[in-house]
Amino acid sequence: MVRVRFAPSPTGHLHIGGARTALFNWLFARHHRGVFILRIEDTDRSRSTEEFIHSILEGLRWLGLDWDEGPYRQTERLELYQSYVQRLLKEGRAYHCYCSAQELEARRRQALAEGRPPRYDGRCRDLQEPPRGAPPPSVRFKMPQAGQTHVQDLIRGPVVFENTQLDDFIILRSDGTPTYNFVVVVDDVDMGITHVIRGDDHLNNTPKQVHIYRALGVEPPRFAHLPMILGPDKTRLSKRHGATSVVAYRDMGYLPQAMVNYLARLGWSHGDQEVFTVRELIQYFDLKDVGKSAAVFNPEKLLWLNAQHLRSTPLSELRELVWPFLLRQGTVKEGQRLNAAWLERAIGSLLERSRTLLELAQSLHYYIAEDIEPQEEARKKFLHQESLPYLKDVLKGLEALEDFRQARIEEVFKEVVQRHGVKLAKVAQPVRVAVTGGTVSPGIFEVLEILGRQKTLRRLRRAIELI
């Protein structure tokens, strides 16, 4: 059975790169009806925080990436790591190193000055007993000193590492805490991981980990190293390219299914299809379709995809999703209720012009609010003496309507247009500014019907007073 894991370090929020790694693991597990494990690699106690753990879990839940096992925390598994260290020491696969941090740093600088790679020189490798007055030792793993390490990567193909370039690395620090390259292997062995799908920034760790697997008598899992994600300027994705935290996109009004769709397409493809449901992604996902070159993050493409998913979401669901944004911007109050059918109709009229839940909430404001204030620029351009007769005639015609529906509203506008001998826009645009506060909205007849007789008349009277 396929068993994969997502193993973030809680030193920050769940970012775009980490979310894509989690998604590819999750899709691979779901496609193969396998197991998706969540593991928190929190051995770096100086940088790991409970806040970041909570944020990572929150981001995964928002994306819908449910895990089958975990979350396991490495800080709760220290005894297990200690037992494996003792086993490697007993079998001669590891040794105590008594070199101090100051000595190691001095040798590193000397190697760099002499043009040599700054590798550990192995001086403690064959010690029979500790030096007199030696400090508490660390434990190093014995790497092979000749030959090559071959990795058949499922994305990159064959990768070869020269063992002479790899040094004996520390697996247990002198303070008794284990290191990343060691604990990750112990966890993978203990959890029966069959495939390691991760970013290619971990590729250089792979030969070290391969030899630990083999020292523990276990065949390494299959590796798949995902190419990095670049910003639009082709440099590594960072905060300067905009929000990189997944929860930040949630707060900006993006839908989780749109974000999942976009993340899946960052480096993976299925023909020319762009818009996918989660069900389709699970059905089609295969590592052979992951590209070898870096993916470029395109905010405009994400926004376009979000608009597509927004329009395919049922209105009843959008009504629930947009409500927190309406609360946040003060359009509605806690405990307030609106007619569900009316709100869904208002939402439906705005979908073609909304790309996020935030934009949708901002547009809904003029439907829901009791009063609105026209935007300054729009007011100056359209609410003036020239438009005053049009507004008065529209108001008079609408006041006389008993049936306040689109067809009858349109008749009123046609009469005003004919009376004044102008085009519809000359009449419609001042009315639009008067009732919505801006120059862009759905068709004015639809807007007025949804807005309703009372609000429409009150806002037209207010605009006339302003002029």
Side-chain angles (χ1 to χ4, degrees), residues 262-386:
Y262 184 72
L263 290 173
R265 290 287 288 109
L266 273 179
W268 172 85
S269 62
H270 179 75
D272 296 325
Q273 186 171 344
E274 293 284 357
V275 182
F276 293 85
T277 64
V278 174
R279 186 188 297 271
E280 287 174 323
L281 290 172
I282 292 171
Q283 179 184 348
Y284 300 138
F285 187 80
D286 197 308
L287 288 173
K288 69 178 177 58
D289 297 318
V290 176
K292 296 180 182 180
S293 57
V296 177
F297 184 79
N298 184 340
E300 287 302 315
K301 186 66 173 287
L302 171 58
L303 201 54
W304 176 83
L305 263 178
N306 199 69
Q308 306 309 306
H309 283 276
L310 203 65
R311 289 163 198 162
S312 64
T313 302
L315 292 175
S316 57
E317 192 175 328
L318 285 177
R319 188 186 76 226
E320 300 296 325
L321 290 171
V322 79
W323 193 260
F325 292 88
L326 293 171
L327 278 170
R328 195 169 75 190
Q329 70 188 19
T331 299
V332 297
K333 296 178 181 178
E334 201 71 53
Q336 184 177 346
R337 293 287 178 267
L338 295 174
N339 180 276
W342 174 85
L343 182 55
E344 287 174 21
R345 188 176 174 204
I347 289 170
S349 74
L350 297 168
L351 280 182
E352 287 301 314
R353 292 172 172 80
S354 301
R355 299 171 298 175
T356 67
L357 291 169
L358 180 58
E359 289 182 359
L360 180 59
Q362 290 168 342
S363 297
L364 281 168
H365 178 77
Y366 63 73
Y367 278 134
I368 299 169
E370 283 304 310
D371 294 293
I372 52 98
E373 209 51 52
Q375 298 166 9
E376 184 64 21
E377 192 174 331
R379 184 184 66 79
K380 288 180 179 178
K381 188 172 181 180
F382 293 103
L383 301 184
H384 43 57
Q385 288 298 322
E386 183 185 346

Side-chain angles (χ1 to χ4, degrees), residues 62 249-250 252-256 259 299 302-303 306 325 356-357:
W62 178 66
Y249 283 97
R250 177 200 63 187
M252 290 190 291
Y254 286 79
L255 296 173
M259 179 59 76
L302 171 58
L303 201 54
N306 199 69
F325 292 88
T356 67
L357 291 169

Side-chain angles (χ1 to χ4, degrees), residues 42-243:
D42 57 348
T43 52
D44 186 348
R45 296 186 180 184
S46 63
R47 299 172 61 215
S48 300
T49 69
E50 291 297 321
E51 176 192 354
F52 288 139
I53 292 175
H54 175 77
S55 176
I56 289 168
L57 299 184
E58 187 180 12
L60 291 172
R61 289 191 183 105
W62 178 66
L63 290 171
L65 305 185
D66 55 326
W67 49 92
D68 304 301
E69 293 181 18
Y72 298 108
R73 296 178 61 159
Q74 288 182 332
T75 49
E76 297 172 353
R77 297 164 58 82
L78 295 177
E79 286 187 13
L80 176 68
Y81 308 138
Q82 291 280 359
S83 68
Y84 273 92
V85 169
Q86 295 306 315
R87 172 181 160 183
L88 292 176
L89 284 169
K90 184 177 180 181
E91 295 175 356
R93 301 274 192 167
Y95 61 92
H96 288 111
C97 175
Y98 299 91
C99 301
S100 68
Q102 294 80 3
E103 290 173 328
L104 293 172
E105 176 61 20
R107 287 181 225 150
R108 189 187 74 85
R109 290 182 179 178
Q110 183 178 354
L112 289 172
E114 295 173 357
R116 295 183 288 109
R119 302 188 303 119
Y120 178 64
D121 58 11
R123 65 181 58 196
C124 295
R125 184 179 176 112
D126 298 316
L127 283 181
Q128 299 301 311
E129 56 183 46
R132 184 174 297 175
S138 58
V139 177
R140 289 185 182 270
F141 179 76
K142 281 186 177 179
M143 288 289 286
Q145 296 179 306
Q148 296 175 324
T149 301
H150 294 258
V151 176
Q152 186 63 32
D153 193 274
L154 293 172
I155 294 172
R156 303 172 68 95
V159 185
V160 179
F161 299 90
E162 296 295 333
N163 291 338
T164 54
Q165 301 299 311
L166 307 172
D167 59 355
D168 295 348
F169 59 96
I170 293 173
I171 59 174
L172 189 73
R173 302 180 186 93
S174 58
D175 64 1
T177 58
T179 59
Y180 167 78
N181 277 310
F182 179 64
V183 294
V184 71
V185 173
V186 171
D187 285 337
D188 286 347
V189 169
D190 188 61
M191 296 173 190
I193 300 301
T194 60
H195 297 75
V196 172
I197 305 169
R198 59 188 181 185
D200 63 5
D201 53 330
H202 287 286
L203 185 61
N204 288 337
N205 291 324
T206 306
K208 299 177 182 178
Q209 295 170 8
V210 162
H211 288 289
I212 297 178
Y213 283 111
R214 290 178 177 153
L216 297 177
V218 176
E219 189 60 27
R222 303 296 304 276
F223 289 97
H225 288 92
L226 307 172
M228 70 171 61
I229 301 174
L230 303 178
D233 59 357
K234 304 297 175 68
T235 60
R236 187 168 189 141
L237 189 66
S238 66
K239 288 183 179 179
R240 71 176 180 277
H241 297 112

